[in-house]
Amino acid sequence: MNYTLRVWRQDGPAAEGRLVDYEVDGITPDMSFLEALDLLNERLVLDGEEPVAFDHDCREGICGMCGLMIDGVAHGPQRATTTCQLHMRSFDPAHPVVVEPWRAHPFPVVRDLVVDRSALDRIVEAGGYISAPTGSAPEAHAVPVPKPDADEAFESAACIGCGACVAACPNGSASLFTAAKVTHLGLLPQGQPERTSRARDMAQAQDDLGFGGCTQTGECTAVCPKGIPLETISRMNRDVLGGLLRSR
Amino acid sequence: MALKSVPARPPESRTTVGRLWSSTVGKKAVMAVSGAVLLLYVVAHMVGNLKAFAGQESIDGYSAFLREFGQPILPHGGLLWIVRTALLVAVAAHMTAAIQLARRARRARPAGYERRPKVQGSYAARTMRWGGVIIALFVVYHLLDLTAGVLNPHGVQGEVHSNIVADFQRWYVVLAYTVAVVALGFHLRHGIYSGLRSLGVASAARAKAVKATALGVSVAITAGFLSVPFAVLFGIVR
Amino acid sequence: MSHYREGAPITDTRAPDGPLETRWERRRFDARLVNPANRRKLKVIVVGTGLAGGSAAATLGELGYQVTSFCYQDSPRRAHSIAAQGGINAAKNYRGDGDSVHRLFHDTVKGGDFRSRESNVHRLAEVSTQIIDQCVAQGVPFAREYGGLLDTRSFGGAQVSRTFYARGQTGQQLLLGAYQALARQIHAGTVRSHPRTEMLDLIVDGGRARGVVVRDLVTGEISSHLADAVVLATGGYGNVFHLSTNAKGCNTTAIWRAHKRGAYLANPCFTQIHPTCIPVSGDHQSKLTLMSESLRNDGRVWVPQQAGDPRAPGDIPEDERDYYLERLYPGFGNLVPRDIASRAAKAVCDAGRGVGPGGLGVYLDFADAITRLGRAAVEAKYGNLFEMYQRITDEDPYAVPMRIYPAVHYTMGGLWVDYDLRSTIPGLFVIGEANFSDHGANRLGASALMQGLADGYFVLPAVIGDYLADGPFGEVSAESVDEAEDSVRAVVAALLAVDGDRTAESFHRELGKLMWDLCGMERGDEGLRTALARIPELRSEFWRRVKVTGSGDRLNQELEKAGRVADFLELAELMCVDALHRTESCGGHFRVESQTAEGDARRDDDAFSYVAAWEHTPAGPVLHREDLVFETVKPTVRSYR
Ligand SMILES: Cc1cc2nc3c(=O)[nH]c(=O)nc-3n(C[C@H](O)[C@H](O)[C@H](O)COP(=O)(O)OP(=O)(O)OC[C@H]3O[C@@H](n4cnc5c(N)ncnc54)[C@H](O)[C@@H]3O)c2cc1C
Ligand code: HEM
Ligand code: SF4
Ligand code: FES
């Protein structure tokens, strides 16, 4: 089959970018979206052109490395699915497929479809952990964790850090990402001592890095490949406010 | 790769309000609380308006009662001025925060996408900023109309009933009020929903309840407010 | 013609002797310590941020060393450990089902087909229990039972239930635990993190590993980082086969270039082929997806009896189906170990009875399970896997049997290390899948996560001080640094200069097919010799015809790929040499010449009870044998008939 891929090309962070149309034939419905880009790239290389840069690694929906804005939807048309798990059968060859990078001020474009998401690491570094130095751990069964809490913590811990929530958010907010971590750790007994300071520090880092504030539009959850619920943000707000009401 | 680092920040404020104001989450909480103050006022206002259905004495008496409340401890109109001050502070806080957050959001998402299909969130969520502006403009007009009486055909302070009846006999005034009140309804629907989340009240278990409350309250307020102008227009209240 | 020369055997592995049970304790006690004030003056480089590297860097940072960490992804959290699904073993015996450190040790030695070291495996089993404690304290959300205690499941043929898990995302949750510990140290300033940075060479000076040459993948800048010790935790090289369950970026570059600098590479031919992966769908397939082994608990594997049967699976009557695993291995049925299930699938497909495109697939049928347990129960157990399958293949596994085929999954081989995880280059430590590991010739399910975290959290931090106690090691000579940097620059320049007419990807595909056909699930003398003739040709063709567009001074993914393929083209040859020299079958290494009448693997303990550690020399590989001694577990024949 023949598809038109309308792809954002940008040489570097400071360069001007533009959309370029590529006709790619020989695409089969079983091909993944990234394999279609692979195909395009092999042809570009043989033509002596530079291939389209895009991030990917595991190609099974877990590493969070891939992430493209496809026809204006982060990770494309299929819900709860990362870009690498999309298949060409989800696309209609009659229309060009528009492929753009994540756009947000804290995610500068590195090249073509590759952006710098290291701001998300900075948010975690600000407090997204339980301080448990190696060797200091008590016996694992010393503290039972109620199954519902463990399960809910897991749901939030499933975030893959892809940044789709930021890309989709009209405010450029990273609240869903941050809230997922705050919720994961805040639900576990081991996470209690640092619960409010963690939330506050992470929220602070998010502000300092230039992300926007949350207005509960719900765009983030709609594109989140792991279905992190909007309620996590409410829980984060509670913990952040708890932290802010107290002086350090 | 040169890493994006967290920029240095000024030392943190020693006051709780200062700390809240310097954080987006805190600022949203300020908006939620000031919004709640406004909401309480709006509810009281709406309930008060319904007295129009009970006849001239009822609503004019109510207006007088509000002005005389607390005398002699409070001066004439004292309560009203306390309420007005609170509202003014709330509106100022609410608007300033809204503007600051909107500007921050614009900086965070400076570029749009080439193709952007219909967004996922609700209509109410997307219209908060413009809805707020419409409401603010309306409030100015509304004060000039029914409080100061400058823009009112009858325009006599204290003669609330006559002012209202004079006003709403003209369809375009009713239309203006309708637009504003519907805008308010939308604003409140997402506002209540969002405000409860800003304050961290909406757990997964309560998500449905939060949504239903927001819808119920905003529909009730919209209907309550609209009942009076339409009742006048259709001659039910005269 | 011989493809290698013999070198001196390795006699000292630094493991204490005496009773097995107390060796690790004694080693820890004997290891010299570095006092906290001195630790601050010592620099350690950790390459890799997977379970092994992430946990090591975090722990070394906590101890107060100055740590520098590298990974090629854009965040340390994305290392390939993230993709592990099934679980992690630990001898906690929470079930009271008779598990113990000794049993885990025993199972692992046997599972490795008696090609691993007893001392190492015992230590691994001992440390396993601490791993679970550590991870729980960090907030890893393991599955729990209603009472709030940790749940476990059984895995990979073990008779006890010792596998801890977090849904089908155990690797992700463990890695995020390590990543968060690492983030804490980055924040504290003890660890400096360099994502999107690829190690391209090792700096050896005065006989010690003293640093690495790296390329910043965004700016293209090539620079050196110096330290008192270097730790490689760069994962496995399964991508030498092009198609595997590994992430696209997994590579051999770091360990291969260290090998060329003098580190021995052990048992490179030991690769694990996982039986349950989604089959290849076309030529442009870029990777293979694993379907958890747990599916074999309820799915039945079969192929049509008649070769080339064109009917849809549902139209093939019961008596014309061959449930070959149940037929051949009535005792274990569909639950035979990975190597056996994989080979059996290959055998039926080679006989023309495979199903699906190209005949490379067998059915994994849940019809019986759905009848027996009900659709809801099957969905509760495997729902997410079925969904993943459907998404990839567009087939509904509730209605049509799944199609599966074996795929390369894990590499048991890697850089040779002693008991203290030291390679043959002083100051170069190797941990995780990158070393030749504790898994012998076959890894048991849920043991790689255990090994990565054991190495990173507990073993390396306990023994590295013994080496560093002699440091700091002073200035590194400018010549050594320049020489390493120049050689990296030369390789980059050479790749860009060829300007040929084939993509790096096309060479990778060709190499992968060659390796899969000739050095894959079955290896024979003739095939390996063919491969050994073909690989050098392919390599020279690569250097004549590869086309890399763009330049070296910015993000250039084509250049990255070409560099990795160039190293695979060298490693592949050593794998074939290793496979050719080991004329026995053991674990994942199946030599057609060495099988029983029934087609099972036949080990040759008299001739091959050793680790093959290869030294790189300009004149070709040199074999150093490290004899394996079994004092506690006596080698027996693994039979599942
Ligand atoms: C699909 C799948 C499922 C699995 N399931 C299980 C399971 O259920 N249980 C189990 O026990 N095991 C499982 N395994 C095996 C296990 O996941 C791996 O063996 C283990 O995670 C390897 O960890 P590691 O830390 O050694 O390496 P990795 O996690 O692969 O990390 C390698 C690191 O090195 C870095 N790196 C590599 N090369 C370079 C370079 N040249 N320069 C700089 N950095 C570099 C990478 O960026 C990365 O950070 C599975 C494996 C796969 C592929
Ligand atoms: C003056 C102009 C106004 C502007 C610019 C404005 C703007 C906003 C904005 C941007 C929000 C944030 C909602 C979100 O999360 O997206 C908000 C919330 C809210 N507004 Fe207004 N508003 C205005 C007037 C009013 C008035 C007059 C009322 C009540 C009568 C009101 C009641 C509320 C309430 C209850 C909330 C919820 C608070 C929260 O979101 O946390 N607003 N407003
Ligand atoms: S919350 Fe969802 S969309 Fe956001 S980073 Fe995590 S997985 Fe991606
Ligand atoms: S490439 Fe890993 S999630 Fe898509």
Side-chain angles (χ1 to χ4, degrees):
Chain A
M1 268 186 283
N2 189 359
Y3 283 84
T4 303
L5 300 179
R6 182 168 296 166
V7 183
W8 183 261
R9 303 299 312 255
Q10 181 173 342
D11 262 354
E16 283 278 313
R18 71 210 150 88
L19 285 164
V20 179
D21 278 8
Y22 297 101
E23 299 285 328
V24 190
D25 58 3
I27 289 179
T28 63
D30 280 343
M31 232 180 232
S32 77
F33 189 78
L34 297 186
E35 283 165 0
L37 284 181
D38 289 342
L39 187 65
L40 166 65
N41 277 347
E42 275 206 75
R43 298 200 183 150
L44 288 176
V45 170
L46 291 178
D47 289 347
E49 281 182 57
E50 290 200 51
V52 177
F54 64 93
D55 267 331
H56 64 98
D57 201 26
C58 73
R59 296 207 176 185
E60 46 185 83
I62 191 73
C63 74
M65 188 104 174
C66 65
L68 301 173
M69 199 49 123
I70 302 170
D71 285 340
V73 181
H75 286 306
Q78 195 163 9
R79 279 212 160 210
T81 304
T82 55
T83 302
C84 60
Q85 295 282 81
L86 276 178
H87 286 78
M88 291 312 288
R89 61 179 90 92
S90 310
F91 296 90
D92 176 2
H95 302 286
V97 183
V98 182
V99 192
E100 295 173 85
W102 286 170
R103 296 194 191 282
H105 174 69
F107 285 180
V109 173
V110 173
R111 186 179 167 80
D112 296 340
L113 303 171
V114 174
V115 301
D116 176 0
R117 285 171 291 197
S118 56
L120 297 183
D121 288 319
R122 301 292 90 75
I123 293 176
V124 175
E125 285 156 18
Y129 39 74
I130 291 171
S131 301
T134 308
S136 65
E139 156 59 39
H141 267 180
V143 188
V145 181
K147 183 170 166 59
D149 287 354
D151 286 349
E152 205 186 327
F154 175 88
E155 306 275 343
S156 304
C159 163
I160 58 174
C162 61
C165 45
V166 178
C169 177
N171 303 310
S173 174
S175 288
L176 195 66
F177 168 82
T178 309
K181 188 52 41 196
V182 166
T183 303
H184 158 210
L185 299 176
L187 277 166
L188 297 171
Q190 290 83 2
Q192 292 314 305
E194 295 163 302
R195 184 164 55 87
T196 53
S197 64
R198 169 189 313 120
R200 174 184 171 170
D201 291 343
M202 292 178 77
Q204 197 66 260
Q206 210 199 130
D207 285 354
D208 293 346
L209 288 157
F211 290 98
C214 170
T215 59
Q216 310 284 349
T217 60
E219 296 283 323
C220 49
T221 337
V223 298
C224 172
K226 299 295 148 183
I228 305 291
L230 203 58
E231 282 68 41
T232 55
I233 298 183
S234 177
R235 169 177 275 279
M236 168 179 79
N237 288 338
R238 183 162 65 212
D239 287 348
V240 172
L241 292 175
L244 287 171
L245 291 179
R246 256 175 284 138
S247 176
R248 244 175 244 269
Chain B
M1 183 176 55
L3 290 177
K4 181 177 211 75
S5 57
V6 184
R9 58 191 339 273
E12 99 172 10
S13 167
R14 249 174 300 198
T15 65
T16 306
V17 172
R19 281 198 299 275
L20 288 173
W21 195 253
S22 66
S23 137
T24 51
V25 173
K27 215 167 259 176
K28 276 309 295 280
V30 170
M31 283 192 76
V33 171
S34 58
V37 168
L38 297 174
L39 174 65
L40 281 179
Y41 172 78
V42 164
V43 169
H45 186 1
M46 188 271 288
V47 173
N49 286 2
L50 295 181
K51 287 190 182 290
F53 288 102
Q56 177 151 13
E57 305 82 68
S58 174
I59 189 152
D60 288 359
Y62 174 61
S63 165
F65 159 78
L66 286 178
R67 288 176 170 73
E68 283 149 23
F69 181 88
Q71 279 178 345
I73 302 168
L74 292 175
H76 182 83
L79 173 72
L80 230 46
W81 279 111
I82 292 175
V83 172
R84 283 174 182 161
T85 313
L87 289 179
L88 220 59
V89 172
V91 166
H94 196 84
M95 276 181 68
T96 315
I99 292 167
Q100 290 185 356
L101 286 170
R103 291 177 56 181
R104 162 179 272 275
R106 189 148 323 126
R107 278 198 304 274
R109 254 295 287 286
Y113 293 100
E114 172 72 12
R115 183 182 289 173
R116 192 86 176 116
K118 208 167 135 337
V119 268
Q120 327 269 350
S122 72
Y123 178 77
R126 272 173 285 138
T127 50
M128 284 309 274
R129 288 169 195 151
W130 282 111
V133 171
I134 292 175
I135 296 166
L137 293 176
F138 165 77
V139 167
V140 174
Y141 161 71
H142 176 59
L143 292 178
L144 294 175
D145 175 13
L146 286 170
T147 306
V150 188
L151 296 180
N152 192 284
H154 185 69
V156 181
Q157 283 208 4
E159 294 182 14
V160 180
H161 194 86
S162 312
N163 289 344
I164 289 177
V165 172
D167 228 6
F168 296 135
Q169 266 152 11
R170 297 166 305 166
W171 64 268
Y172 48 89
V173 173
V174 174
L175 182 68
Y177 269 80
T178 307
V179 168
V181 169
V182 169
L184 178 68
F186 274 116
H187 195 87
L188 289 181
R189 167 156 168 243
H190 185 70
I192 294 168
Y193 170 81
S194 171
L196 288 172
R197 286 164 181 272
S198 299
L199 294 175
V201 185
S203 64
R206 284 186 225 139
K208 275 217 176 85
V210 165
K211 220 167 188 160
T213 311
L215 186 64
V217 172
S218 49
V219 167
I221 288 177
T222 311
F225 270 126
L226 288 183
S227 63
V228 176
F230 279 95
V232 173
L233 189 67
F234 294 117
I236 300 165
V237 169
R238 55 180 84 222
Chain C
M1 163 198 124
S2 177
H3 292 275
Y4 66 94
R5 287 173 298 137
E6 294 273 348
I10 300 171
T11 46
D12 184 12
T13 65
R14 216 180 281 273
D17 40 23
L20 186 64
E21 289 74 20
T22 57
R23 281 183 196 165
W24 176 230
E25 196 184 319
R26 279 179 286 132
R27 179 69 195 118
R28 264 184 308 166
F29 184 74
D30 293 342
R32 287 174 298 163
L33 298 174
V34 181
N35 83 47
N38 287 347
R39 283 185 219 146
R40 257 175 270 131
K41 296 179 204 140
L42 291 162
K43 291 189 181 163
V44 182
I45 284 171
V46 182
V47 187
T49 58
L51 287 180
S55 59
T59 305
L60 294 174
E62 282 166 14
L63 288 171
Y65 295 107
Q66 286 182 49
V67 181
T68 315
S69 146
F70 299 94
C71 66
Y72 70 75
Q73 293 92 345
D74 72 335
S75 163
R77 67 182 288 151
R78 308 202 202 283
H80 191 52
S81 296
I82 200 104
Q85 303 172 348
I88 177 167
N89 288 333
K92 280 286 198 186
N93 193 27
Y94 283 156
R95 299 260 159 181
D97 56 2
D99 199 10
S100 63
V101 166
H102 190 80
R103 188 177 296 280
L104 176 54
F105 154 73
H106 186 277
D107 289 354
T108 308
V109 170
K110 180 173 171 218
D113 218 359
F114 305 95
R115 291 294 172 264
S116 51
R117 286 188 200 132
E118 285 193 338
S119 317
N120 284 53
V121 176
H122 198 277
R123 172 175 69 190
L124 179 63
E126 283 173 59
V127 169
S128 69
T129 61
Q130 281 169 279
I131 296 174
I132 302 302
D133 297 342
Q134 178 62 29
C135 294
V136 166
Q138 288 172 340
V140 171
F142 283 120
R144 294 195 177 250
E145 299 180 318
Y146 282 99
L149 299 179
L150 294 164
D151 194 12
T152 52
R153 57 187 175 198
S154 47
F155 213 77
Q159 286 151 307
V160 292
S161 179
R162 63 158 79 98
T163 304
F164 294 80
Y165 66 100
R167 299 255 172 105
Q169 282 146 261
T170 317
Q172 179 197 29
Q173 294 309 317
L174 294 173
L175 184 63
L176 291 180
Y179 160 71
Q180 286 162 205
L182 181 65
R184 180 166 158 260
Q185 292 310 306
I186 294 172
H187 195 59
T190 60
V191 178
R192 303 236 339 240
S193 164
H194 297 271
R196 285 204 207 268
T197 309
E198 185 166 27
M199 168 185 163
L200 293 179
D201 210 347
L202 182 73
I203 297 173
V204 182
D205 183 53
R208 293 180 191 273
R210 293 302 308 276
V212 292
V213 180
V214 298
R215 179 168 179 271
D216 181 321
L217 299 181
V218 172
T219 64
E221 190 197 349
I222 289 167
S223 64
S224 300
H225 293 256
L226 303 179
D228 297 290
V230 176
V231 180
L232 295 189
T234 51
Y237 51 83
N239 276 352
V240 69
F241 293 91
H242 183 241
L243 289 182
S244 81
T245 64
N246 286 7
K248 290 298 285 174
C250 291
N251 65 85
T252 188
T253 294
I255 63 166
W256 184 253
R257 300 206 181 168
H259 173 60
K260 288 170 88 174
R261 291 268 170 203
Y264 294 0
L265 190 53
N267 300 337
C269 79
F270 286 174
T271 41
Q272 181 165 77
I273 316 277
H274 198 292
T276 52
C277 302
I278 300 180
V280 176
S281 74
D283 288 346
H284 293 288
Q285 183 107 13
S286 60
K287 80 152 277 165
L288 296 172
T289 303
L290 179 79
M291 298 300 289
S292 171
E293 189 158 25
S294 61
L295 290 171
R296 284 198 283 143
N297 283 312
D298 287 303
R300 296 180 69 195
V301 176
W302 64 275
V303 289
Q305 275 182 354
Q306 200 193 325
D309 193 330
R311 289 173 291 179
D315 299 339
I316 301 179
E318 223 21 61
D319 60 353
E320 291 178 41
R321 299 176 175 191
D322 179 12
Y323 293 89
Y324 59 91
L325 287 179
E326 297 168 25
R327 176 171 58 80
L328 293 169
Y329 307 95
F332 282 75
N334 294 298
L335 287 173
V336 291
R338 289 178 181 177
D339 47 348
I340 301 200
S342 295
R343 236 175 17 250
K346 177 174 161 44
V348 294
C349 292
D350 288 351
R353 297 195 286 144
V355 298
L360 291 179
V362 299
Y363 290 126
L364 178 61
D365 197 337
F366 289 86
D368 283 359
I370 292 171
T371 318
R372 184 163 39 91
L373 308 166
R375 183 182 158 126
V378 171
E379 196 169 334
K381 251 175 155 168
Y382 306 115
N384 59 340
L385 294 167
F386 277 41
E387 196 185 305
M388 179 154 93
Y389 180 86
Q390 174 148 28
R391 205 155 276 179
I392 293 175
T393 62
D394 206 22
E395 285 176 4
D396 175 9
Y398 294 102
V400 196
M402 281 186 182
R403 285 174 297 109
I404 54 163
Y405 198 66
V408 174
H409 179 58
Y410 183 87
T411 49
M412 279 77 71
L415 289 182
W416 183 90
V417 288
D418 65 15
Y419 190 70
D420 280 1
L421 302 175
R422 298 184 186 192
S423 71
T424 48
I425 303 176
L428 179 69
F429 295 76
V430 190
I431 60 178
E433 194 175 337
N435 70 22
F436 85 105
S437 92
D438 305 342
H439 308 296
N442 175 52
R443 176 176 71 77
L444 287 184
S447 287
L449 302 183
M450 170 171 74
Q451 183 226 337
L453 289 180
D455 285 358
Y457 280 131
F458 298 105
V459 180
L460 180 77
V463 293
I464 198 171
D466 193 52
Y467 176 80
L468 289 170
D470 292 328
F473 297 106
E475 291 279 304
V476 180
S477 79
E479 295 88 81
S480 305
V481 175
D482 291 348
E483 187 269 324
E485 280 191 19
D486 289 348
S487 79
V488 167
R489 289 205 175 87
V491 172
V492 170
L495 288 169
L496 287 164
V498 180
D499 196 26
D501 59 356
R502 280 186 68 178
T503 60
E505 183 69 18
S506 79
F507 282 101
H508 197 182
R509 218 177 278 136
E510 187 173 344
L511 174 70
K513 175 148 177 27
L514 184 83
M515 290 298 283
W516 177 247
D517 290 344
L518 303 178
C519 192
M521 262 187 286
E522 276 182 12
R523 293 124 185 225
D525 187 271
E526 196 191 325
L528 289 167
R529 286 182 197 279
T530 311
L532 283 170
R534 181 68 191 123
I535 293 169
E537 289 168 13
L538 191 61
R539 200 163 54 222
S540 85
E541 193 178 336
F542 174 89
W543 285 104
R544 274 184 288 113
R545 291 183 58 188
V546 74
K547 183 167 187 96
V548 179
T549 48
S551 62
D553 59 359
R554 54 184 177 171
L555 182 73
N556 186 339
Q557 294 172 326
E558 227 20 59
L559 178 62
E560 295 165 27
K561 190 190 294 165
R564 292 170 192 160
V565 173
D567 291 329
F568 282 135
L569 281 163
E570 297 185 8
L571 167 77
E573 190 173 349
L574 185 62
M575 289 174 71
C576 293
V577 170
D578 187 40
L580 182 65
H581 111 281
R582 194 175 280 272
T583 53
E584 65 160 354
S585 295
C586 61
H589 171 63
F590 188 83
R591 280 293 298 258
V592 282
E593 299 86 354
S594 182
Q595 50 181 312
T596 64
E598 287 142 325
D600 285 344
R602 199 177 57 223
R603 234 177 35 228
D604 182 353
D605 290 337
D606 293 338
F608 290 102
S609 185
Y610 64 79
V611 173
W614 298 93
E615 180 188 358
H616 183 88
T617 73
V622 176
L623 171 67
H624 301 269
R625 298 166 207 255
E626 177 205 329
D627 281 328
L628 293 167
V629 187
F630 294 93
E631 294 168 337
T632 310
V633 194
K634 287 288 158 225
T636 50
V637 175
R638 262 166 98 227
S639 173
Y640 296 91
R641 295 257 170 198

